[in-house]
C-alpha cells in the first residue's frame, strides 16, 4: 500500500477505533462511560459513512473504478484496547458486530443492521474464528471487509448471520471504489487511492450543516477518483506537483457534491470556514495554495456545475471537468483538456 499523504494537518494514523482500556489499578470498570465513549466514536463514524457512501454512490456513473457495496461497516472487539471490556460494555458474547449502516444503503434499507448487533456469519464463514492479536489488532477487521467485498463481487450478494439465529441477505449497488475510515485520534484527513481516512478531531466534525461537512469528504474522494496517489508515485511528490493535484481535488469537490444533491457552493463555504480558522502557515502552503485562492478555484467551478445539473440532471465530470494533470503522463494535460 502506498504511504498515506497528510492533506490537511498532522496526526497519527490509528487503525483501531476508540480503545476501551482496563484500569491497571484494579478499580471497577465504568461500563456506562465505556459505552458512551464508543457511542461518541460511532456517531462520528456514522456521519462519515453516511456522507461518504452517498458521494461514492451518486458519482459511480463517472468513476473510473467501481465496486459493489452494501454500505455496511463492521466492528471487531480485537481492535479495541481491551477487547474483554469492550465486549462486556456492548453486551456481546463474540467479537463481531455492526458498526454502521450508511444512510440509504442496502444495509440500512434492510432494517436488519442496527448498531452493535452481533454477527456470527459472513456467508459461510464465522469471522470470530479467524485469528487475531490480543488487542488493538486491525487486521482481522480488514480481512472481514475484504471478505464481504469479495462475496459481493463473486456472488452478487451476501448472507449475514446474527447471534440470535436470524440472517439477512444483501444485494449490492455500485459505488466509487473507496472505503471511508475514521481515525480514533488526530485531526488529519488523508487519501491513499483506496481509502479516505479522517481523524475524529478534524474541525469539520463541528460543522453541523451536512453539505459543508460533505465538502471535506468530497475533496478527499476527489483525490482517489482522479488517481492522484498513483500519479504522484509515477511523477514524484515535489511541492509543485502536490499543489497541482490539491487544486484539482478542490475544483472537483463541487461536482461530486452536486451529483449527490448537495449545493456545490458548499465547497466554497467549507474552504472559507476552515481556512479562516486553520491557516496552516508557510510550511502547509508549500503543498497548497492559500485558502482564499482555493476557495476562489472552487467558486469558479460552481456556475458550470449548476448549469449542467439544470440542463442534464447530472454533472458529468468525466466529460466536462478540466484536468490539471495528464493522468497517464506528467504535469500538463493535452491541449483542449
Amino acid at each position: 500500500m502506498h504511504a498515506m499523504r497528510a492533506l490537511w494537518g498532522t496526526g497519527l494514523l490509528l487503525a483501531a477505533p476508540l480503545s476501551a482500556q482496563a484500569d491497571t489499578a484494579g478499580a471497577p470498570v465504568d461500563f456506562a462511560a465505556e459505552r458512551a465513549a464508543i457511542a461518541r466514536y460511532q456517531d462520528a463514524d456514522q456521519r462519515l459513512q453516511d456522507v461518504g457512501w452517498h458521494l461514492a454512490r451518486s458519482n459511480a456513473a463517472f468513476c473510473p473504478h467501481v465496486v459493489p457495496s452494501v454500505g455496511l461497516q463492521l466492528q471487531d472487539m480485537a481492535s479495541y484496547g481491551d477487547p474483554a471490556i469492550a465486549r462486556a460494555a456492548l453486551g456481546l458474547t463474540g467479537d463481531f458486530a455492526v458498526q454502521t449502516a450508511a444512510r440509504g444503503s442496502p444495509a440500512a434499507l434492510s432494517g436488519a443492521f442496527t448498531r452493535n448487533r452481533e454477527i456470527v456469519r459472513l456467508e459461510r464463514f464465522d469471522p470470530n474464528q479467524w485469528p487475531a492479536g490480543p488487542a488493538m489488532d486491525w487486521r482481522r477487521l480488514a480481512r472481514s471487509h475484504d471478505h464481504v467485498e469479495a462475496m459481493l463481487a463473486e456472488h452478487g450478494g451476501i448472507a449475514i448471520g446474527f447471534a440470535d439465529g436470524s440472517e439477512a441477505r444483501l444485494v449490492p449497488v455500485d459505488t466509487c471504489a473507496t472505503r471511508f475510515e475514521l481515525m480514533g485520534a488526530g485531526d488529519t484527513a488523508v487519501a491513499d487511492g483506496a481509502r479516505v481516512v479522517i481523524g475524529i478531531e478534524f474541525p469539520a466534525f463541528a460543522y453541523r450543516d451536512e453539505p459543508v461537512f460533505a465538502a471535506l469528504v468530497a475533496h478527499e474522494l476527489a483525490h482517489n477518483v482522479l488517481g492522484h496517489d498513483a500519479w504522484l508515485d509515477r511523477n514524484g511528490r515535489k511541492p509543485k506537483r502536490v499543489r497541482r493535484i490539491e487544486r484539482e481535488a478542490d475544483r472537483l469537490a463541487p461536482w461530486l457534491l452536486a451529483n449527490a444533491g448537495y449545493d456545490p457552493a458548499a465547497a466554497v463555504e467549507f474552504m472559507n470556514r476552515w481556512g479562516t480558522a486553520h491557516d496552516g502557515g508557510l510550511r502547509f502552503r508549500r503543498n497548497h495554495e492559500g485558502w482564499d485562492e482555493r476557495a476562489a478555484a472552487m467558486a469558479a467551478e460552481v456556475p458550470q456545475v449548476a448549469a449542467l445539473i439544470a440542463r442534464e440532471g447530472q454533472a458529468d465530470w468525466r466529460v466536462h471537468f478540466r484536468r490539471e494533470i495528464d493522468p497517464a503522463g506528467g504535469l500538463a494535460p493535452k491541449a483542449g483538456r
Side-chain angles (χ1 to χ4, degrees), residues 49-244:
Q49 299 305 322
D50 287 348
V51 166
W53 195 88
H54 184 46
L55 288 166
R57 170 60 179 158
S58 301
N59 284 277
F62 315 119
C63 285
H65 305 292
V66 297
V67 293
S69 173
V70 294
L72 175 65
Q73 193 176 35
L74 306 174
Q75 58 176 319
D76 178 7
M77 299 304 102
S79 65
Y80 286 80
D82 190 312
I85 290 177
R87 197 180 300 117
L90 297 180
L92 305 178
T93 57
D95 284 339
F96 275 84
V98 175
Q99 170 79 345
T100 64
R103 184 182 63 218
S105 69
L109 294 175
S110 75
F113 293 88
T114 54
R115 184 183 293 185
N116 300 322
R117 188 176 187 186
E118 189 167 351
I119 288 174
V120 297
R121 185 166 49 83
L122 301 174
E123 201 63 44
R124 300 182 305 276
F125 299 94
D126 179 358
N128 296 280
Q129 301 302 314
W130 296 339
M136 298 293 284
D137 188 346
W138 55 269
R139 290 169 295 182
R140 186 169 66 170
L141 183 58
R143 178 183 178 184
S144 70
H145 285 131
D146 288 344
H147 174 68
V148 169
E149 196 168 287
M151 292 297 98
L152 296 177
E154 293 171 14
H155 304 297
I158 187 170
I160 297 178
F162 302 103
D164 61 8
S166 63
E167 78 167 28
R169 181 166 181 82
L170 295 175
V171 177
V173 295
D174 284 343
T175 64
C176 299
T178 288
R179 293 181 184 177
F180 300 89
E181 299 178 9
L182 180 69
M183 288 190 291
D187 60 356
T188 307
V190 295
D192 70 353
R195 299 181 298 162
V196 164
V197 187
I198 300 178
I200 197 170
E201 297 165 10
F202 195 93
F205 279 105
Y207 304 164
R208 301 322 304 168
D209 35 353
E210 183 171 298
V212 179
F213 174 77
L216 164 66
V217 185
H219 170 94
E220 299 301 337
L221 177 60
H223 282 298
N224 286 350
V225 301
L226 293 174
H228 285 163
D229 199 57
W231 185 84
L232 288 173
D233 283 344
R234 293 193 303 271
N235 291 279
R237 297 176 183 267
K238 293 181 179 180
K240 69 175 182 179
R241 292 183 172 85
V242 176
R243 284 195 298 272
R244 202 53 97 84

